[in-house]
Amino acid sequence: MLLSAVPAIAADQQSAIQHGRQLAQACAACHGIDGNTANPALYPNLAGQAPAYLELQLANFKSGERPNPIMKGFAASLKDSDMHDLSVYFGAQAVKAQPSSNHELEEKGKRIFTKGSAAGAPACASCHGAEGHGQAAFPRIASQPAGYTLKQLHVYRDAPKFNNPLATVMKGVAVKLSEDEMKSVSAYIATVP
């Protein structure tokens, strides 16, 4: 009985990917059709991200829990099944790491990623995994554009509070990173495949 379910699961996965590819046309201008952004200063890569994480973010944009007027507009018309299919599609795409641009800065960032900051921020790897590929409820951060990651670290640091417990954890991390440390770890993360 279990073996007969395997082809059905594979067919459902392929159907979700095909439908997600169609829906992704609306995402391409910012995130790239394959989930690798064309504008790394502003937008994240979605390729290779955990589908459950992407689906949750779309739901949060739609509800307004994660405030972003542009994404709220896109998510508003999506049904739950659309969010699922988009997430499965982007999660199945190959991620492209950014080329190295400043080896010294990236090496400093690698130390923060693996060991934490001087002010007591934990190592990024402790939540996001040794390679930054995500684990449990924590998203993939490997290969995220440096400009986008730096912008998000500023949001976590500067926002007064969050409703989401994981965002609250990130706020606790970001307030323990100096501006130079944020730039360094963002530069390193961008180069990790």
Side-chain angles (χ1 to χ4, degrees):
M1 185 72 155
L2 182 60
L3 289 178
S4 65
V6 173
I9 292 170
D12 287 348
Q13 181 88 351
Q14 283 306 312
S15 176
I17 289 172
Q18 288 175 344
H19 185 236
R21 182 180 296 120
Q22 293 169 349
L23 294 168
Q25 299 299 317
C27 311
C30 297
H31 299 288
I33 191 62
D34 66 350
N36 289 286
T37 184
N39 191 339
L42 297 176
Y43 306 112
N45 286 331
L46 303 180
Q49 187 59 264
Y53 177 79
L54 291 175
E55 198 168 342
L56 175 63
Q57 297 315 301
L58 286 169
N60 287 343
F61 285 129
K62 185 174 184 173
S63 73
E65 182 173 331
R66 185 170 178 185
N68 182 305
I70 294 169
M71 283 304 302
K72 183 174 178 82
F74 279 108
S77 64
L78 295 175
K79 299 180 288 190
D80 289 349
S81 61
D82 293 337
M83 289 187 229
H84 172 79
D85 293 353
L86 260 174
S87 300
V88 169
Y89 168 72
F90 281 124
Q93 302 309 301
V95 69
K96 298 174 187 168
Q98 311 299 303
S100 177
S101 63
N102 183 329
H103 186 69
E104 186 178 321
L105 190 66
E106 293 156 8
E107 280 300 312
K108 184 176 180 181
K110 182 177 182 178
R111 284 191 299 277
I112 296 164
F113 183 89
T114 57
K115 298 186 183 333
S117 77
C124 307
S126 63
C127 293
H128 295 280
E131 300 298 320
H133 292 177
Q135 59 186 13
F138 297 95
R140 176 189 178 95
I141 57 174
S143 306
Q144 285 300 342
Y148 175 77
T149 300
L150 182 60
K151 186 170 92 173
Q152 294 309 301
L153 287 170
H154 288 157
V155 168
Y156 286 123
R157 180 194 65 199
D158 299 340
K161 68 175 192 140
F162 294 97
N163 293 331
N164 182 309
L166 294 178
T168 301
V169 169
M170 274 305 303
K171 179 168 184 58
V173 171
V175 298
K176 294 179 181 176
L177 293 172
S178 70
E179 185 67 20
D180 184 56
E181 288 171 329
M182 286 184 183
K183 288 178 182 175
S184 299
V185 78
S186 297
Y188 170 69
I189 286 169
T191 65
V192 179

